[in-house]
């Protein structure tokens, strides 16, 4: 057997898949949970050593003979996290994550220094949003100047894993577009934005080389290979952000396909041959990891929302499905605004979750559970609509992430968005996408598009079509949801 390995460093866990590309099957998989440190003020952090321990645990859960057959590796990682390293490649402090909203003040400082929000969008393609890496760098300067002075490298989570595997510092352009200081159109660092982050220091000296094509960044180091039970010297690909690798793993490498990920966060993204810049800043103007662009909307509260409400009623997954199934569409007027951890879209980093429309007759577990699911879905439907205003058409939604395992949720997505929903046989989108990228290193001359066409397969039994009656009913529900968002937003602006 011959396999490639995809590693996905998420927020809640590390997942790995060993893909037998000759027989076109996932031959092995492993996972390990991750801790998440949260504190008042929007703090969300992890330690880099937690990542490495979890990666070792997940990989060594794969059968040893299969591990010894691996011929290439690529890494997917949660976007936007800020890993500050010193000259010796040691991590200086805890890693602020994508879901950390404690740097709103730094966002405002950078935006003002650059000339305003519109100037940021016009010149680099994106506003400086809470969660992006730029504000985290500024925060370190403001609050930990001693550590900041020791910083010699700025890395993203998957870059740090690549450094651990190969000893090489680099950054892949798709993941880099989530830093806030990449010029999206030119795929180059923006010197002007870096000066807005810190006018006293040339941060370009801390940034690694940008990689724009999938090629080996280095070879697996002997010590790491021994720890993981993998062959030393095998090539390690450029990897990418979890959304970029998820695009590969869900076949989203051509126009017309939209991936919707129902994970801790919710994302909606589509491939484009040209940059897609949203003047309102709702859609992130990201680069893909396949030579194009990946306009994307992110919400910070997707399965977070359903898990919170599910736990409130001690409902296991079967009970969750049952409650959703027997509750009418629209949850009898209950509307959940899923802003429990603050929100990126709409840009309300200080917001809290709200449940509106409650009456003495509709406060039931079923209405609250279904409303949580519907609220998280409405937030993502907004992304489909916003993409359409920018000329990005959607012919089908490829659904991925933990929420995609729910029969009820899949149908709700199809009905709310009035689009067919495709589920794939390979259900670990980001890890599988990394495996496909690794495969390109050994399938010399093959394009990502060719590999996707050959290895990504549809699960017909779990895919679904919209129900016309449900679509009509949900249009009214969605409009009420948007009205509730508009009414509540001023409380948190």
């Amino acid at each position: 057997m011959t396999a490639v390995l995809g590693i996905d460093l998420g927020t809640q866990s590390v997942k790995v898949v060993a893909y037998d590309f000759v027989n076109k099957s996932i031959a092995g998989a492993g996972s390990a949970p991750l801790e998440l440190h949260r504190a008042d003020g929007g703090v969300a952090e992890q330690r880099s050593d937690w990542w490495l321990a979890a990666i070792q645990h997940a990989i060594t859960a794969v059968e040893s003979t299969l591990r010894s057959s691996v011929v290439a590796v690529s890494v997917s990682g949660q976007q936007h996290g800020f890993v500050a390293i010193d000259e010796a490649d040691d991590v200086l402090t805890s890693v602020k994550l994508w879901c950390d909203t404690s740097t709103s003040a730094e966002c405002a400082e950078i935006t003002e220094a650059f000339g305003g929000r519109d100037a940021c969008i016009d010149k680099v393609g994106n506003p400086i949003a809470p969660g992006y890496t730029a504000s985290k760098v500024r925060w370190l300067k403001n609050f930990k100047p001693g550590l900041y002075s020791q910083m010699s490298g700025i890395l993203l989570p998957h870059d740090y894993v690549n450094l651990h595997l190969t000893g090489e510092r680099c950054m892949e352009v798709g993941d880099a577009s989530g830093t806030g200081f990449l010029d999206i159109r030119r795929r180059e660092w923006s010197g002007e934005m870096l000066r807005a982050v810190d006018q006293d220091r040339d941060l370009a000296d801390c940034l690694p080389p940008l990689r724009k094509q999938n090629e080996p960044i280095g070879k697996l180091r002997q010590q790491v290979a021994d720890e993981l039970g993998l062959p030393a010297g095998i090539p390690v690909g450029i990897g990418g952000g979890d959304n970029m690798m998820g695009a590969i793993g869900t076949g989203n490498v051509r126009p017309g396909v939209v991936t919707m990920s129902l994970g801790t966060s919710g994302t909606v993204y589509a491939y484009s041959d040209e940059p897609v810049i949203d003047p309102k800043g709702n859609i992130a103007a990201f680069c893909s990891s396949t030579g194009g662009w990946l306009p994307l909307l992110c919400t910070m509260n997707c399965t977070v929302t359903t898990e919170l409400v599910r736990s409130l009623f001690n409902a296991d997954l079967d009970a969750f499905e049952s409650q959703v199934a027997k509750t009418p569409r629209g949850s009898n007027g209950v509307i959940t605004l899923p802003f429990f951890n603050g929100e990126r879209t709409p840009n309300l980093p200080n917001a809290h979750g709200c449940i509106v429309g409650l009456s003495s007759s509709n406060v039931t577990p079923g209405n609250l559970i279904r409303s949580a699911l519907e609220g998280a879905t409405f937030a993502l439907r907004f992304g489909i609509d916003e993409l359409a205003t920018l000329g990005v058409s959607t012919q089908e939604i490829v659904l991925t992430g933990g929420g995609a395992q729910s029969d009820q949720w899949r149908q709700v997505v199809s009905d709310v968005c009035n689009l067919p929903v495709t589920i794939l046989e390979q259900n670990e989108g980001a890890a599988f996408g990394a495996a496909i990228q690794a495969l390109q290193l050994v399938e010399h001359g093959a394009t990502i598009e060719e590999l996707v066409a050959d290895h990504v397969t549809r699960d017909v039994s779990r895919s679904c079509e919209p129900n016309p009656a449900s679509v009509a009913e949900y249009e009214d529900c969605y409009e009420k949801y948007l009205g509730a968002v508009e009414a509540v937003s001023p409380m948190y602006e």
Side-chain angles (χ1 to χ4, degrees):
M1 184 182 298
T2 306
V4 287
L5 190 71
I7 302 171
D8 178 35
L9 168 60
T11 311
Q12 295 181 321
S13 66
V14 168
K15 298 176 182 178
V16 302
V17 295
Y19 180 61
D20 176 355
F21 55 91
V22 176
N23 294 304
K24 298 184 180 179
S25 66
I26 292 179
S31 65
L34 283 169
E35 294 182 57
L36 174 62
H37 169 69
R38 286 194 179 274
D40 292 342
V43 172
E45 298 176 341
Q46 287 175 333
R47 285 172 36 185
S48 59
D49 58 312
W50 296 350
W51 298 344
L52 300 185
I55 287 171
Q56 182 169 2
H57 183 88
I59 290 178
T60 54
V62 176
E63 195 271 325
S64 60
T65 303
L66 179 57
R67 278 182 279 146
S68 67
S69 75
V70 170
V71 294
V73 181
S74 277
V75 179
S76 162
Q78 50 175 293
Q79 289 195 258
H80 313 308
F82 169 41
V83 185
I85 58 174
D86 63 15
E87 288 285 355
D89 293 340
D90 292 326
V91 179
L92 291 167
T93 187
S94 296
V95 179
K96 281 192 171 297
L97 305 184
W98 63 273
C99 49
D100 186 296
T101 58
S102 67
T103 60
S104 296
E106 285 71 28
C107 288
E109 292 169 7
I110 296 168
T111 300
E112 181 179 2
F114 197 81
R117 190 172 188 270
D118 290 345
C120 295
I121 296 172
D122 181 59
K123 293 183 180 180
V124 299
N126 287 307
I128 300 300
Y132 285 10
T133 315
S135 64
K136 299 175 176 65
V137 177
R138 177 93 170 198
W139 182 93
L140 187 65
K141 179 191 179 194
N142 288 348
F143 290 95
K144 297 186 178 182
L147 295 178
Y148 185 75
S149 67
Q150 298 175 49
M151 182 181 73
S152 77
I154 296 171
L155 297 178
L156 298 168
H158 111 265
D159 305 325
Y160 177 70
V161 177
N162 278 346
L163 173 65
H164 174 70
L165 297 178
T166 68
E168 299 292 333
R169 295 187 187 186
C170 65
M171 197 177 289
E172 182 273 326
V173 70
D175 205 6
S177 53
T179 62
F181 39 77
L182 186 83
D183 183 328
I184 301 302
R185 298 176 183 86
R186 296 174 51 245
R187 300 177 189 264
E188 300 289 348
W189 301 122
S190 167
E192 187 176 357
M193 183 59 78
L194 291 172
R195 287 189 292 275
V197 176
D198 186 349
Q199 64 179 356
D200 302 319
R201 177 179 182 180
D202 187 357
L203 287 174
D205 293 338
C206 296
L207 291 171
L210 277 170
R211 299 295 187 112
K212 302 178 183 180
Q213 298 179 23
N214 184 33
E215 56 189 5
I217 62 168
K219 297 180 179 180
L220 187 64
R221 296 188 296 139
Q222 182 70 58
Q223 178 182 347
V224 178
D226 292 343
E227 292 170 354
L228 301 179
L230 298 172
I234 59 174
V236 178
I238 57 172
D242 52 2
N243 293 305
M244 291 74 198
M245 294 298 98
I248 296 173
T250 56
N252 194 342
V253 294
R254 58 176 174 80
V257 177
V258 166
T259 298
M260 181 181 288
S261 177
L262 306 178
T264 306
S265 64
T267 52
V268 173
Y269 49 88
Y271 176 86
S272 175
D273 291 321
E274 299 178 350
V276 177
I277 310 296
D278 180 5
K280 294 180 290 185
N282 289 323
I283 298 294
F286 289 165
C287 301
S288 76
S289 296
T290 56
W293 284 264
L294 200 72
L296 176 148
L297 177 135
C298 177
T299 65
M300 298 185 73
N301 303 272
C302 190
T303 57
V304 165
T305 303
T306 54
E307 289 299 291
L308 283 171
V309 178
R310 189 166 70 84
S311 65
L312 182 65
F313 298 105
N314 293 316
D316 61 18
L317 291 174
D318 288 338
F320 174 85
E321 288 284 283
S322 175
Q323 290 282 7
V324 173
K326 69 183 184 183
T327 302
R329 290 181 290 274
S331 305
N332 289 306
V334 179
I335 302 172
T336 297
L337 307 185
F339 306 152
F340 295 96
N341 292 322
E343 191 47 81
R344 180 181 298 175
T345 312
N347 185 24
L348 299 169
N350 299 315
H352 298 292
C354 302
I355 301 175
V356 302
L358 295 174
S359 71
S360 59
S361 62
N362 67 9
V363 181
T364 67
N367 287 332
L368 291 169
I369 287 172
R370 184 170 183 118
S371 176
L373 182 153
E374 290 176 339
T377 307
F378 290 149
L380 294 170
R381 154 74 187 270
F382 179 76
I384 300 285
D385 292 349
E386 289 292 279
L387 286 170
T389 67
L390 298 172
V392 180
S393 64
T394 305
Q395 297 166 7
E396 68 171 322
I397 295 172
V398 179
L399 208 58
T400 187
Q405 304 308 307
S406 164
D407 294 343
Q408 296 297 322
W409 204 339
R410 293 197 296 271
Q411 189 62 55
V412 168
V413 168
S414 185
D415 293 340
V416 166
C417 300
N418 192 20
L419 287 163
V421 163
T422 291
I423 300 295
L424 300 175
E425 295 282 358
Q426 305 84 6
N427 60 14
E428 295 296 347
F432 185 64
I436 293 294
Q437 190 194 64
L439 178 57
Q440 191 182 26
L441 301 179
V442 294
E443 292 283 330
H444 302 293
T447 66
I448 285 290
E449 293 81 1
E450 291 169 341
L451 293 174
V452 162
D454 199 28
H455 294 275
V456 177
T457 53
R458 189 172 189 260
D459 183 344
V460 176
S461 66
R462 295 192 299 154
S463 300
C464 56
E465 297 283 336
N467 180 307
S470 302
V471 169
E473 193 169 350
Y474 268 131
E475 281 300 319
D476 180 60
C477 298
Y478 178 58
E479 290 302 318
K480 290 178 180 176
Y481 168 84
L482 293 178
V485 172
E486 184 177 1
V488 167
S489 293
M491 295 171 55
Y492 300 113
E493 289 176 343

